[in-house]
Amino acid sequence: MKKFCFLVVLILLVALFCANGIAVAETSDNYRNTKAYELTKEICAYPRKAGIDKDGAVQTYLINKFNEALGKDVAVKQTFTYGNSAEYCNVVAKIDRSSVSDKQIIIGAHYDSDGEGAADNACGVAALIITMQNFARSANDLPCSVVFVAFDAEELGLLGSREYVSQMSEEQIENTLVMFNMDSIANGDNLYLWCENKRTSLADLIISKTDKIVEKPYAKGTYNLPDFYGYGYSETPQNTDQTPFRLAGIPTALFFSGTYSAEPWSYAESSDVNKCVMNTSKDTFENLEKNNGAEFVAKIEATVDAVTSSVLSENFAEVAESQRSQLVNLSVWYNTWWARLIVFGLLIIIVILAVLHYRKLQKQSILGTAEVKANNVFSQPDAEEIFTFKK
């Protein structure tokens, strides 16, 4: 009887262990059933090279997804040309809350890529669409209007975001509280937030909403020269679509992934070389899932949750309004003219010292050599050189 009971208990323990094992396996695969996974995979299926393709398939897909998320047909194309007259296209939609506030926020992600661009930036576009769905469900609680933009031609030099800002009126710029940007959020070692090159109230608010995001280290990845975009200095996260908005004086918040090593100034997508795939043919959905698994979905969801909960928080409008007063004065503190003035000042000092040294050498030469003393420097002038005689 004891042997029988022991056998029954053993069988039950094995069954329970197997059941737990199956449950764990099922749980580990649950990320494949998420909206983040589904959207990222869908977006990767569309060729997204900058510019409108022949059938406009990706733009049509984005318009349909935007309209589906918002429950109404409001998405529009913002087409533009640049340089060689190639045609590009931003996709824009809006939740209008002008009845409660004349303010707005802008949330963007670029959709162009040379290949599949799973990490850069299908994940960002997926986060954009899910955030749109969240806000559509909570539209009556929004403190202001929300504009959603899928930018084209980011990889060619932020062309889509530059075009969008160029079409904004001064009033729209003044009334934009924050521009949120989601770019390459899912493949790197860490999920970072970057609002300004110093601590701000907006960053504090966003970080307080999640423990999955950290602030970009202020002192790392920053260079005084060269200045690519007009900040007056260069910083790694400038190379994406919030930059034209920040240069227009609009507060920004960038979500991106990567890692900053212990060495100053350095930034990498990952400490694992297999995950450093940005702007290469290896940036595929297959590699994203292989190298990250459920983690890439977790990063997308963390970004969405941070933006959603921050904007819907009671003090968002107050914090966002105060953000403009906390912006670094780029035209003063980071202007490249400071470096030029310093170099120019050093050159003047060198020239002055060289002249003084030359005069000292000349004086020593005049007083110390017979050859110089014999010249006409100390000769007495003739009367004809002093007086003019009239005939």
Side-chain angles (χ1 to χ4, degrees):
M1 184 66 180
K2 289 181 178 179
K3 290 182 178 179
F4 176 76
C5 292
F6 175 77
L7 183 61
V8 170
V9 171
L10 182 62
I11 291 171
L12 289 173
L13 287 173
V14 171
L16 181 62
F17 176 79
C18 291
N20 285 339
I22 293 171
V24 170
E26 290 177 348
T27 301
S28 66
D29 288 340
N30 280 346
Y31 74 93
R32 292 193 176 98
N33 299 321
T34 62
K35 197 69 176 176
Y37 183 93
E38 172 192 330
L39 285 170
T40 303
K41 189 174 184 179
E42 281 183 6
I43 296 163
C44 286
Y46 288 89
R48 304 192 311 283
K49 193 171 182 66
I52 297 178
D53 54 339
K54 292 181 180 179
D55 58 2
V58 65
Q59 290 85 22
T60 300
Y61 167 81
L62 289 172
I63 286 175
N64 289 338
K65 283 297 179 182
F66 280 22
N67 289 337
E68 179 185 316
L70 297 177
K72 56 182 73 173
D73 295 338
V74 293
V76 297
K77 294 181 179 180
Q78 182 189 55
T79 57
F80 61 97
T81 57
Y82 183 85
N84 59 359
S85 297
E87 192 172 44
Y88 305 99
C89 175
N90 296 329
V91 178
V92 185
K94 182 178 182 179
I95 297 177
D96 190 352
R97 293 283 288 162
S98 57
S99 60
V100 298
S101 173
D102 59 355
K103 303 295 183 181
Q104 67 175 15
I105 62 172
I106 298 171
I107 306 175
H110 78 88
Y111 69 88
D112 63 303
S113 173
D114 288 335
E116 283 191 25
D120 182 19
N121 184 39
C123 289
V125 178
L128 176 68
I129 294 171
I130 299 170
T131 304
M132 196 180 306
Q133 293 172 334
N134 287 352
F135 283 151
R137 288 192 293 266
S138 305
N140 292 335
D141 298 323
L142 288 170
C144 60
S145 298
V146 184
V147 180
F148 304 91
V149 190
F151 296 109
D152 195 1
E154 187 267 358
E155 301 291 1
L156 299 182
L158 321 184
L159 302 188
S161 50
R162 287 181 174 184
E163 175 65 20
Y164 188 89
V165 172
S166 73
Q167 297 298 321
M168 295 178 72
S169 66
E170 290 185 10
E171 182 179 10
Q172 287 174 325
I173 290 174
E174 185 63 30
N175 286 335
T176 301
L177 295 173
V178 183
M179 188 276 175
F180 294 94
N181 187 26
M182 305 166 175
D183 191 1
S184 304
I185 59 176
N187 187 53
D189 295 348
N190 303 288
L191 180 54
Y192 289 114
L193 168 71
W194 183 59
C195 292
E196 197 71 7
N197 203 341
K198 65 173 186 176
R199 194 176 187 89
T200 65
S201 299
L202 178 62
D204 288 343
L205 173 64
I206 297 171
I207 291 294
S208 71
K209 300 300 179 182
T210 177
D211 59 358
K212 295 181 174 64
I213 301 176
V214 296
E215 279 192 85
K216 178 254 176 190
Y218 302 134
K220 294 187 177 181
T222 304
Y223 308 82
N224 287 331
L225 291 172
D227 174 22
F228 293 111
Y229 296 112
Y231 278 77
Y233 70 111
S234 292
E235 190 164 3
T236 304
Q238 291 173 2
N239 301 312
T240 183
D241 286 312
Q242 84 284 342
T243 281
F245 294 87
R246 177 61 185 86
L247 294 176
I250 296 172
T252 57
L254 168 66
F255 297 86
F256 70 106
S257 63
T259 185
Y260 288 89
S261 72
E263 297 297 324
W265 322 123
S266 58
Y267 166 83
E269 190 175 4
S270 172
S271 57
D272 180 355
V273 293
N274 294 317
K275 293 175 67 175
C276 295
V277 299
M278 190 179 295
N279 298 323
T280 73
S281 59
K282 295 180 181 179
D283 187 7
T284 64
F285 184 80
E286 180 182 0
N287 279 345
L288 180 67
E289 184 169 16
K290 176 183 176 181
N291 293 320
N292 296 276
E295 186 62 26
F296 87 84
V297 168
K299 286 191 173 79
I300 293 173
E301 292 177 342
T303 302
V304 171
D305 291 344
V307 174
T308 303
S309 57
S310 296
V311 174
L312 292 176
S313 61
E314 291 183 0
N315 61 333
F316 171 75
E318 179 183 354
V319 170
E321 288 274 13
S322 70
Q323 184 70 5
R324 283 184 184 254
S325 65
Q326 298 175 47
L327 299 182
V328 174
N329 187 343
L330 301 178
S331 64
V332 175
W333 296 111
Y334 293 112
N335 198 306
T336 53
W337 280 106
W338 283 114
R340 296 172 187 174
L341 286 172
I342 291 171
V343 171
F344 183 68
L346 289 173
L347 286 175
I348 290 177
I349 293 172
I350 291 171
V351 169
I352 292 173
L353 291 174
V355 169
L356 291 175
H357 184 64
Y358 172 76
R359 292 182 64 181
K360 181 179 179 180
L361 291 176
Q362 187 181 46
K363 183 177 180 180
Q364 289 175 346
S365 177
I366 291 172
L367 297 176
T369 67
E371 181 183 350
V372 174
K373 286 182 178 180
N375 65 19
N376 293 328
V377 173
F378 297 105
S379 62
Q380 195 169 11
D382 296 332
E384 291 85 0
E385 295 175 341
I386 300 175
F387 300 102
T388 301
F389 297 95
K390 292 184 180 180
K391 294 183 180 179

